[in-house]
């Protein structure tokens, strides 16, 4: 079975006012697509048409007030918070991005793909159940995880390697014993969450794990943590599927992050997780773009990431 790739022109609708240039620009996806289309495997990727999910599905993760806030931005320009601008069609991009993961799940269940990557924007991992923040409108990976639960998946592992802690995803599943959230991120850094002491609440105690790392951390440390700590954690949890919040802003050339990970480093991290998934969840891995703001570094990392996914499909 092939690897799935989801991309939509509607992801480009989300823009920032020209007076306030923003790191999360449509150019990010255009640079990635330009490089992917030059690869030998691009034609082999399965590219499903996005199927819109219902408001009820979104409400499994986000409050009605949260959804209404996004809907009320139709045809307007402004800011949801100081970091998160919107323009007239940002709401279209947000709802399409949220639907990309559930579309991949359907393709997986139909036997059309073995793994997949959603080349989406706006990103999602900072969006909490009732809060838009940090460039993120809807929590794409959380919406996918909830959809997987509805489809009968019992145990879901979410790995977040974005340079920023995925506070939104953590908040949404903090009391859920069947969704394990693990984040590797720079600290101290925005959003100033993700300490090792944050391990879950109630029946969810023990299914949240954080690896805060100092700025300037390089490939070697990431790879060591993945091999010695993350892989054993995944094996112990024994999930039915692994979801990845694949932010590439820990790259050494990224203008927002302060880490020193190389493109080859991200390629190796992907390989480690895919090798682990082969034995723990039959290779089922769905990956979602989060951050990454140097166009060349981002496109190189996305291409390397998808190439590894394809090699395991």
């Amino acid at each position: 079975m092939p690897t799935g790739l989801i991309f939509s022109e509607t992801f480009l609708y989300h823009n920032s006012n020209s007076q306030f240039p923003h790191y999360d620009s449509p150019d990010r996806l255009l640079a990635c697509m330009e490089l992917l289309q030059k690869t030998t495997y691009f034609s082999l990727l399965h590219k499903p048409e996005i199927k819109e999910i219902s408001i009820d599905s979104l409400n499994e993760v986000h409050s009605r007030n949260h959804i209404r806030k996004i809907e009320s931005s139709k045809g307007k320009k402004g800011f949801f918070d100081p970091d998160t601008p919107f323009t007239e069609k940002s709401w279209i991009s947000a709802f399409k991005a949220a639907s990309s993961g559930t579309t991949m799940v359907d393709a997986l269940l139909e036997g059309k793909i073995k793994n997949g990557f959603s080349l989406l924007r706006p990103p999602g991992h900072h969006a909490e159940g009732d809060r838009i923040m940090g460039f993120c409108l809807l929590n794409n990976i959380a919406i996918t995880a909830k959809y997987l639960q509805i489809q009968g998946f019992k145990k879901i592992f979410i790995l977040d390697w974005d340079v920023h802690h995925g506070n939104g995803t953590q908040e949404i599943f903090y009391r859920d014993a069947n969704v394990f959230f693990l984040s590797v991120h720079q600290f101290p850094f925005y959003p100033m969450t993700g300490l090792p002491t944050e391990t879950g609440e109630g029946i969810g105690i023990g299914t949240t794990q954080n690896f805060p790392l100092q700025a300037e951390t390089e490939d070697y440390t990431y790879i060591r943590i993945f091999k010695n700590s993350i892989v054993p954690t995944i094996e112990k949890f024994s999930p039915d599927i692994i979801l990845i919040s694949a932010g590439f802003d820990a790259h050494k050339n990224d203008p927002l992050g302060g880490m020193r990970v190389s493109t080859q480093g991200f390629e190796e991290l992907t390989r480690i997780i895919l090798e682990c998934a082969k034995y723990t969840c039959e290779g089922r891995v769905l990956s979602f773009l989060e951050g990454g703001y140097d166009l060349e570094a981002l496109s190189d990392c996305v291409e390397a990431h998808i190439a590894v996914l394809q090699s395991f499909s």
Side-chain angles (χ1 to χ4, degrees):
M1 288 181 286
T3 289
L5 173 66
I6 291 191
F7 169 77
S8 170
E9 294 284 340
T10 59
F11 297 158
L12 308 178
Y13 294 173
H14 176 55
N15 213 333
S16 58
N17 189 312
S18 59
Q19 294 179 331
F20 302 97
H22 199 270
Y23 282 107
D24 180 25
S25 74
D27 291 341
R28 298 173 64 230
L29 302 196
L30 293 173
C32 292
M33 284 300 292
E34 182 180 358
L35 182 58
L36 287 172
Q37 288 169 347
K38 295 175 182 177
T39 64
T40 56
Y41 60 78
F42 184 76
S43 62
L44 304 176
L45 301 174
H46 179 66
K47 307 173 186 69
E49 192 74 24
I50 296 177
K51 294 181 284 186
E52 296 275 0
I53 60 173
S54 66
I55 296 297
D56 287 342
S57 294
L58 296 177
N59 286 145
E60 292 288 332
V61 170
H62 295 292
S63 69
R64 294 190 181 278
N65 178 64
H66 187 106
I67 303 303
R68 281 195 294 267
K69 189 173 184 179
I70 295 172
E71 290 179 323
S72 68
S73 72
K74 295 179 182 179
K76 303 174 184 176
K77 293 182 180 180
F79 288 82
F80 288 118
D81 80 353
D83 291 322
T84 314
F86 63 85
T87 47
E88 294 86 350
K89 295 183 179 180
S90 291
W91 66 277
I92 299 176
S93 300
F95 286 117
K96 278 286 188 180
S99 301
S100 67
T102 57
T103 297
M104 281 203 293
V105 171
D106 289 343
L108 184 72
L109 293 173
E110 292 164 5
K112 295 178 180 177
I113 64 171
K114 185 170 184 178
N115 55 45
F117 181 77
S118 186
L119 183 62
L120 61 79
R121 57 181 295 279
H125 72 150
H126 292 309
E128 298 181 351
D130 194 35
R131 185 182 181 189
I132 297 168
M133 62 179 289
F135 307 177
C136 302
L137 278 64
L138 295 168
N139 195 309
N140 309 303
I141 202 166
I143 290 163
T144 303
K146 284 288 187 181
Y147 186 74
L148 282 163
Q149 290 181 315
I150 293 168
Q151 300 305 312
F153 284 73
K154 302 298 183 184
K155 299 175 77 176
I156 300 160
F157 195 97
I158 300 177
L159 170 63
D160 189 327
W161 69 45
D162 190 276
V163 77
H164 304 96
H165 178 243
N167 60 291
T169 312
Q170 175 173 294
E171 183 252 358
I172 291 162
F173 295 111
Y174 208 53
R175 299 165 186 83
D176 191 328
N178 298 311
V179 177
F180 198 116
F181 173 73
L182 189 150
S183 178
V184 186
H185 51 273
Q186 182 177 330
F187 190 89
F189 206 42
Y190 180 89
M192 299 305 292
T193 53
L195 292 170
T197 52
E198 298 167 22
T199 60
E201 288 182 354
I203 62 171
I205 289 177
T207 55
T208 294
Q209 189 172 11
N210 287 293
F211 289 88
L213 304 176
Q214 292 182 344
E216 303 294 325
T217 299
E218 299 183 347
D219 291 353
Y220 171 79
T221 301
Y222 270 84
I223 291 169
R224 177 175 53 80
I225 291 171
F226 269 60
K227 288 183 175 179
N228 296 344
S229 298
I230 296 177
V231 167
T233 300
I234 295 173
E235 290 174 341
K236 183 178 180 180
F237 187 67
S238 189
D240 300 316
I241 190 169
I242 297 171
L243 307 181
I244 303 175
S245 270
F248 297 104
D249 39 7
H251 193 280
K252 59 186 179 181
N253 293 338
D254 194 88
L256 286 185
M259 295 305 212
R260 302 293 300 166
V261 182
S262 69
T263 301
Q264 293 73 27
F266 277 115
E267 182 178 3
E268 181 61 19
L269 299 183
T270 305
R271 188 172 291 108
I272 291 168
I273 297 305
L274 267 291
E275 190 66 38
C276 176
K278 195 163 63 172
Y279 301 104
T280 56
C281 55
E282 300 178 2
R284 291 186 289 264
V285 176
L286 299 180
S287 185
F288 302 76
L289 181 64
E290 298 284 0
Y293 305 101
D294 179 272
L295 298 186
E296 183 177 357
L298 174 64
S299 54
D300 285 345
C301 287
V302 165
E303 191 281 317
H305 184 65
I306 295 175
V308 175
L309 289 171
Q310 174 68 9
S311 72
F312 277 82
S313 63

